[in-house]
């Protein structure tokens, strides 16, 4: 893993980028579809203390905080962020936007526990948080892909916690697409933006995780394509 920049550089980059994102959010022209789905799940989770899980693809991370702003009308949310160098930057930025994180990568099938990068502890922390009534945001193809290929972390969390899962597709046009593995989108001021919700779904202990990976991944990609269609954005082919 590449060394982190100096604390001063990291702090300066965090302030600049979080400030840009916060200001840009205020100028975005949103279209929302299925917002009532999210509102209903949020209200039920608050009333029952059952928690909730939010899934969006990793490329949408810079716009993700706009999907679940903290407030008294919904469960408080945490974001799963990897312990990588890039994850440290993301965690600092979203913290300045009002979203605390739980650090750790998705659990991987490996005999070498050192490669889990805190995944086991992060999973325990997420289960406790959701069972205590909180919401958890996960990018199920993160932190390194493949792009829009769902891993089993969100399914495992849903099975253990019993919480409902919401899918949200987000798109912005025009936007900047970074040359990262997932072509992360950076919103531009006054852009058109779309947020499309689907769900909720549940995962029981009797359900086949491999089947859920396919169906849940397809539904999350479908709302992402719908959001792109609304704003006139085309997903990159590479």
């Amino acid at each position: 893993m590449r060394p982190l920049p100096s604390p001063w550089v990291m702090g300066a980059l965090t302030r600049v980028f979080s400030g840009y994102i916060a200001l840009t959010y205020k100028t975005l022209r949103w279209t929302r579809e299925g917002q009532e789905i999210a509102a209903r799940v949020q209200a039920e989770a608050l009333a029952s203390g059952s928690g909730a899980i939010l899934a969006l693809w990793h490329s949408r991370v810079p716009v993700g905080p706009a999907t679940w702003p903290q407030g008294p009308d919904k469960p408080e949310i945490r974001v799963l962020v990897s312990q990588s160098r890039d994850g440290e930057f993301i965690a600092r930025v979203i913290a300045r936007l009002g979203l605390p994180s739980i650090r750790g990568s998705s659990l991987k099938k490996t005999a070498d526990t050192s490669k889990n990068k805190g995944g086991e502890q992060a999973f325990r922390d997420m289960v406790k948080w959701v069972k205590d009534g909180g919401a958890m945001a996960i990018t199920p193809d993160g932190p390194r892909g493949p792009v829009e290929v769902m891993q089993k972390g969100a399914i495992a969390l849903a099975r253990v916690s019993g919480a409902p899962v919401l899918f949200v597709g987000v798109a912005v046009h025009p936007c900047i697409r970074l040359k990262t593995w997932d072509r992360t989108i950076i919103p531009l001021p006054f852009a058109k933006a779309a947020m499309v919700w689907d769900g909720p779904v549940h995962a029981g202990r009797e359900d086949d995780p491999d089947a859920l990976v396919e169906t849940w991944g397809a539904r999350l990609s479908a709302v992402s394509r719908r959001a792109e269609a609304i704003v006139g954005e085309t997903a990159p082919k590479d």
Side-chain angles (χ1 to χ4, degrees), residues 159-234:
R159 293 177 74 188
V160 174
S161 68
V165 180
L166 285 165
F167 306 121
V168 61
V170 188
V172 181
H173 181 71
C175 67
I176 298 169
R177 282 194 176 265
L178 302 182
K179 293 183 178 180
T180 53
W181 65 269
D182 62 345
R183 300 298 301 275
T184 296
I185 63 172
I186 305 295
L188 291 172
F190 304 100
K192 293 193 297 183
M195 187 185 304
V196 182
W197 294 89
D198 185 22
V201 296
H202 293 80
R205 293 184 181 271
E206 71 283 359
D207 291 325
D208 179 4
D210 291 325
L212 292 182
V213 161
E214 295 296 325
T215 57
W216 288 16
R219 289 179 71 167
L220 184 50
S221 287
V223 290
S224 299
R225 299 295 84 78
R226 173 57 184 160
E228 290 167 352
I230 290 172
V231 301
E233 172 72 1
T234 302

Side-chain angles (χ1 to χ4, degrees), residues 1 18-20 22 26 37 51 62 85 91 108 113-114 119 125-126 134 144 147 151 187 206 214 219 225 232 235:
M1 185 173 69
S18 61
Y20 169 80
K26 296 179 180 180
I37 296 172
R85 178 180 183 272
K108 296 178 172 56
T113 57
S114 67
D125 292 343
M126 288 191 295
R144 296 189 180 277
V147 176
Q151 307 302 315
E206 71 283 359
E214 295 296 325
R219 289 179 71 167
R225 299 295 84 78

